[in-house]
């Protein structure tokens, strides 16, 4: 269902009227395309406090495809600044926070529409409450700036100790691929539950998944179809798993992407074994995307509606994950990306079953991540979509749909491709230092965590 309000506010009279009436001002977001794969303009690099990230940070930023500057290029030009990276990893006290203000206050206005602000922070030091206070302050700062910056611009915080381990993350956040990811705090490397060894840099950043096999559950339509498409773009052989009733759609998607269809109900007790049998050479990327809703308030919810949602969204995710890890079908260097939901993190009336299942996914990810990495060399992360324009949300009544679309910092719904791009970053061979994260793809929804 097209977002007519977004199209309207993109016209001159629409812009004028919405401003006069104090209505939301969504900006058309700049997304990845083969013709325009990167942002336009310079990358402004700023520092607050004494950082120890160089020289790695300098070389990582130089490979983003953006021209790195240390001051707003004069004249800023029509394009302005595409991105600002503020290295605040050395901020240890309130004075250091003053440097954050001093660095960003004069330049925020120069950031182009759909531009990026990425703040780099350090892990919180449990033995130094001044450092911990200052570093935690960066989260409130980032989320507040994300809420006020407007014009399709995003603000995210990355906590890291080693810039090269964060290359895939910085490339993602500093590109049009992260259009709908804002207000997030992402831990990379040493601050994640376990510090992995050096990340595997892919030979080719354009096709990082070449030679790898990726299985997408619920891949026949919606977000899963977009994930399959994006992983195929990145070079993967995709296996599109969906219920037997959706076999025709799964085949259509698989054929278009040069992949394989696997008709299978993921709730089957032996689904993991059947996947392993269908893929005798194993797999590298496992995307748990299949999901259902069966909404009712708890007072009206029969056990059957409760059970079916818990079974598809959580029990089958746990079962297939366990089976594919135990059998070794999911190879070392593998990636698991599960699908949570902001409804699961924040809670939603009428969705006790769905909310429970999606919060359960986040719990699984956090607990399994360190062990899966230590024992199997596999990372485990989750995406938590907000309001995404799909058939599911098109069926939502008009007023609730409008509220869902506007109640986020970008004042619009996301597209399936936004979830897919985030999934592809987590599935990237160079994302080995990103583990146990639950990343919201929600345009910084007002529904809190
Ligand atoms: P969708 O309903 O369009 O697609 C889900 C796919 O999963 C369908 O192809 C369906 O046949 C398949 N599926 C369902 N049960 C299955 C089973 N037992 N075995 C195998 N395949 C099965 O849903 P959509 O919107 O694309 O959502 C995808 C995921 O994203 C779900 O996990 C959903 O909960 C989650 N999500 C979606 C949001 C949205 O705004 N659309 C927001 C937050 C989370």
């Amino acid at each position: 269902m097209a977002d007519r309000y977004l199209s309207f506010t993109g016209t001159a009279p629409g812009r004028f009227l919405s401003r006069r009436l104090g209505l939301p001002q969504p900006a058309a977001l700049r997304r990845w395309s083969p013709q325009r794969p990167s942002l336009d303009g310079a990358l402004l690099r700023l520092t607050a406090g004494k950082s120890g990230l160089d020289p790695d940070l300098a070389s990582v930023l130089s490979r983003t495809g953006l021209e790195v500057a240390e001051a707003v290029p004069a004249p800023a030009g029509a394009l302005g600044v595409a991105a600002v990276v503020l290295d605040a990893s050395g901020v240890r006290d309130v004075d250091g926070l003053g440097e954050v203000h001093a660095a960003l206050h004069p330049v925020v206005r120069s950031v182009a529409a759909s531009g990026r602000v990425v703040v780099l922070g350090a892990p919180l030091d449990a033995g130094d409450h001044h450092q911990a206070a200052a570093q935690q302050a960066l989260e409130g700062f980032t989320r507040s700036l994300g809420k006020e910056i407007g014009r399709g611009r995003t603000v995210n915080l990355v906590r890291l100790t080693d810039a090269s381990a964060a290359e895939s993350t910085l490339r993602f956040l500093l590109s049009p691929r992260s259009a709908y990811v804002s207000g997030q705090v992402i831990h990379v490397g040493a601050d994640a539950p376990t510090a992995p060894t050096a990340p595997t840099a892919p030979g080719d950043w354009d096709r990082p998944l070449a030679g790898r096999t990726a299985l997408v559950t619920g891949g026949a339509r919606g977000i899963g179809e977009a994930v399959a498409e994006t992983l195929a773009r990145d070079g993967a052989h995709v296996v599109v798993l969906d219920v037997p009733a959706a076999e025709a759609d799964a085949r259509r998607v698989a054929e278009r992407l040069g992949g394989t269809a696997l008709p299978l109900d993921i709730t089957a007790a032996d689904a993991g074994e059947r996947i392993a049998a269908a893929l005798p050479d194993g797999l590298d990327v496992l995307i748990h995307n299949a999901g259902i809703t069966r909404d009712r308030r708890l007072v009206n919810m029969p056990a059957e509606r409760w059970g079916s949602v818990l079974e598809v969204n959580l029990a089958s995710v746990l079962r297939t994950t366990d089976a594919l890890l135990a059998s070794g079908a999911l190879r070392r260097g593998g990636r698991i990306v599960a699908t949570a939901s902001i409804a699961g993190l924040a809670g939603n009336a009428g969705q006790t079953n769905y909310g429970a299942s999606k919060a359960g996914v986040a719990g699984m990810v956090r607990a399994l991540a360190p062990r899966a990495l230590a024992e199997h060399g596999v990372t485990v992360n989750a995406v938590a979509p907000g309001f995404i324009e799909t058939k599911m949300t098109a069926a939502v009544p008009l007023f609730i749909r409008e509220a869902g679309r506007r109640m986020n910092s970008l004042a619009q719904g996301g597209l399936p491709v936004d979830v897919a791009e985030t999934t592809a970053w987590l599935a990237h061979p160079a994302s080995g230092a990103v583990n146990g994260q639950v990343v919201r793809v929600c345009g910084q929804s007002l529904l809190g965590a």
Side-chain angles (χ1 to χ4, degrees), residues 7 21 58 62 70 99 120 137 185 241 249 379 386 400 410 415 432 438:
S7 320
L21 295 173
S62 73
E70 310 240 322
E99 291 182 42
L120 305 181
V185 179
L241 181 152
D249 283 340
T379 63
I400 299 177
L410 297 168
L415 301 182
V438 178

Side-chain angles (χ1 to χ4, degrees), residues 217-225 241-246 249 262 264-268 288-294 311-313 316 339-343 354 357-358 383-393 414 416 419 441:
T217 72
R221 69 175 203 197
I223 294 173
E225 179 177 2
L241 181 152
D242 214 299
V243 286
D249 283 340
L262 181 55
L264 176 65
D265 186 327
I266 200 67
T267 62
H288 292 295
N289 162 81
I292 59 169
T293 51
R294 296 284 182 274
E311 192 48 41
V312 177
N313 296 4
S316 72
T339 309
S341 161
I342 59 162
Y354 186 76
S357 71
K358 294 299 190 178
V383 289
F387 184 97
I388 304 295
E389 304 279 358
T390 60
K391 281 192 182 130
M392 184 174 104
T393 46
V419 183
V441 187

